Amino acid sequence: MKDIYLLLTKSDTFISKAIYLMTQDSYTHISISFEENLQPMYSCARKYTYSPIPAGIRNESFEKGFYNKNQHIPCALYKLTVKKEIYYKAKFILESILNHSQDYKYNLMGLILCKLEVPYRRNHYYFCSEFVSEILAYSQAIELPKLPCLMKPSDYLLFEELECLYQGNIGELIKYRSLCKRMIHPFYYINRIYKELLYNRKI
């Protein structure tokens, strides 16, 4: 079995505020990653930190760019466990899109029609949850209750198949990831025991 990770966020950008006004949803953006450390992590989002346009398929980094400069925004991290063949099929679909990422644009019209529950799919156009949902649907990683173009980020809060790993803000998530990496490292416990013995403290 393998894991696919979904990160839901709600920023204070103009687009996010507009989505919130339309939906009142807890989260307004979703990203997908196939790695435990969430890097790389992809979505359909702004290309530049300080400008909402242009937008397209992006690798969203914690070390630089938008998230690095906006660590206060709330987020929730979920894990979807799937069979290996489904995991690699979903990853292949993502890589196929990435190979032509320059051809993809932000589906603003689709976003508006999504709120109105009007299905509208344009070739080479995505909004964030449509992008993630299409990968998951086409790979059969999860059964969606509606078309990818009608899925909203907060819809993913309702899936029983998803396991919530973290809820908080981006800054704390970065610390959480750092702690997890130390805890799984074979020298983490050795180093901890050494420090405890050095200062004559109990673990």
Side-chain angles (χ1 to χ4, degrees):
M1 304 293 282
K2 300 280 286 184
D3 296 321
I4 298 172
Y5 299 89
L6 304 176
L7 180 67
L8 282 73
T9 58
K10 179 181 175 292
S11 70
D12 50 10
T13 63
F14 173 78
I15 294 293
S16 179
K17 288 179 179 179
I19 294 172
Y20 177 74
L21 286 174
M22 290 190 296
T23 66
Q24 297 296 303
D25 288 339
S26 303
Y27 299 102
T28 57
H29 185 67
I30 187 170
S31 311
I32 187 169
S33 179
F34 292 85
E35 306 300 332
E36 187 176 10
N37 66 359
L38 304 182
Q39 295 297 294
M41 180 174 69
Y42 294 97
S43 189
C44 191
R46 60 177 60 206
K47 292 187 176 182
Y48 304 111
T49 303
Y50 298 107
S51 175
I53 54 175
I57 308 301
R58 300 294 297 160
N59 175 7
E60 299 177 311
S61 173
F62 291 121
E63 279 68 40
K64 58 182 180 180
F66 183 78
Y67 284 137
N68 182 260
K69 297 182 182 298
N70 294 273
Q71 296 188 13
H72 64 282
I73 65 176
C75 67
L77 176 63
Y78 285 84
K79 179 177 74 173
L80 174 64
T81 301
V82 297
K83 294 179 179 179
K84 281 187 177 181
E85 55 268 30
I86 290 178
Y87 172 90
Y88 288 112
K89 184 178 180 180
K91 198 170 183 180
F92 175 79
I93 293 170
L94 170 62
E95 290 170 352
S96 299
I97 295 172
L98 294 178
N99 288 336
H100 303 280
S101 60
Q102 70 279 359
D103 298 330
Y104 287 86
K105 297 177 177 63
Y106 194 81
N107 190 7
L108 181 59
M109 180 62 72
L111 180 65
I112 295 171
L113 291 174
C114 176
K115 165 58 181 172
L116 300 174
E117 298 188 352
V118 177
Y120 177 71
R121 188 185 185 282
R122 297 176 69 187
N123 287 332
H124 297 99
Y125 281 81
Y126 286 120
F127 52 88
C128 65
S129 50
E130 180 183 19
F131 167 73
V132 171
S133 298
E134 195 162 287
I135 292 171
L136 296 177
Y138 287 5
S139 63
Q140 298 180 309
I142 196 168
E143 185 176 349
L144 301 180
K146 46 192 171 183
L147 294 171
C149 62
L150 294 177
M151 291 292 293
K152 298 178 295 183
S154 285
D155 287 333
Y156 284 90
L157 299 174
L158 305 176
F159 284 97
E160 294 182 357
E161 299 95 324
L162 297 178
E163 176 187 353
C164 184
L165 300 179
Y166 172 83
Q167 269 187 304
N169 60 46
I170 289 294
E172 292 300 319
L173 175 62
I174 293 172
K175 294 177 184 177
Y176 167 80
R177 289 173 56 248
S178 177
L179 175 63
C180 287
K181 285 191 287 187
R182 290 200 304 272
M183 290 183 68
I184 63 175
H185 195 282
F187 292 106
Y188 172 80
Y189 294 105
I190 296 175
N191 187 51
R192 183 182 173 190
I193 291 171
Y194 170 76
K195 287 182 177 179
E196 294 293 342
L197 290 174
L198 184 64
Y199 293 99
N200 194 27
R201 295 183 302 189
K202 293 183 179 180
I203 298 176

